[in-house]
Every structure is written in C-alpha cells, then in structure tokens.
Amino acid sequence: MPLKIAYSNAAGSFGPRYPDGQTLMRKRTLRQTAKLFKVGTEVLLNSAPATVIAYNIAEFGRWISTSHPVLVRMHTGELQYCRLNDLHIAENPSRQPH
C-alpha cells in the first residue's frame, strides 16, 4: 500500500501534462478524417476506386497521420496512404469501373 501512495504522489508532483501542438493537430486531423471518411466508405483516389480500411495514427516515419491520415485499399488490392485532398467520396460506387 505505501508503494502505491508514493507512486501516486510522485506522478502528481509534475503537475498536469498538457499536449503539445503537434499532438493537438494530429487529434484534430483524425477527428476531421473520421467525420468525412468512415471505414468501409467507397472513395475515389485520384479518380481510381478504393475503399477506406483504416486511419493512420503514426507519429513518425514516412507517412505520418497529420499529412496522410487515411489508409485505403485500391480495387487492384494495393494499399495506399492518402492525403485528404486526394480523396473524394464515390457518387455511385456500384457504377465505378473496377
């Protein structure tokens, strides 16, 4: 029990931890993305049909979430990280060429 109390006191001694600007931007981008493109939505990626399969939550690396927040599967089977500007919701997905 004393160890638990000591840990609680030590953890609280640093004061509240506020997220940095990059973390706030990433969260805002992912919220916006989730509103626009639900998982399973048929989309057009530069006029090629695709399906949204996941959201990118990477904080580092080549494809970070603030610039490429959506992962889609092309109808050819290829996976692609996308910028929001590259995606458009398919008007009538059943009529899109595959």
Side-chain angles (χ1 to χ4, degrees):
M1 187 77 131
L3 183 59
K4 183 176 180 182
I5 293 170
Y7 176 77
S8 298
N9 289 339
S13 67
F14 296 113
R17 293 187 177 148
Y18 298 104
D20 61 355
Q22 185 176 10
T23 302
L24 292 174
M25 184 176 165
R26 184 173 39 259
K27 286 182 179 181
R28 186 178 69 219
T29 302
L30 289 173
R31 275 196 308 269
Q32 177 187 16
T33 302
K35 286 181 186 177
L36 293 172
F37 302 104
K38 304 268 186 236
V39 171
T41 302
E42 295 289 323
V43 294
L44 296 175
L45 172 63
N46 297 328
S47 74
T51 304
V52 175
I53 61 167
Y55 303 119
N56 180 11
I57 60 170
E59 296 181 18
F60 58 89
R62 184 173 181 191
W63 308 109
I64 61 172
S65 61
T66 50
S67 62
H68 293 79
V70 180
L71 179 63
V72 299
R73 174 173 285 137
M74 307 295 290
H75 286 262
T76 60
E78 177 186 1
L79 297 178
Q80 182 80 31
Y81 288 110
C82 306
R83 295 181 305 197
L84 293 180
N85 294 342
D86 296 338
L87 294 176
H88 303 285
I89 294 183
E91 297 289 326
N92 192 350
S94 62
R95 293 190 178 188
Q96 296 297 326
H98 292 275

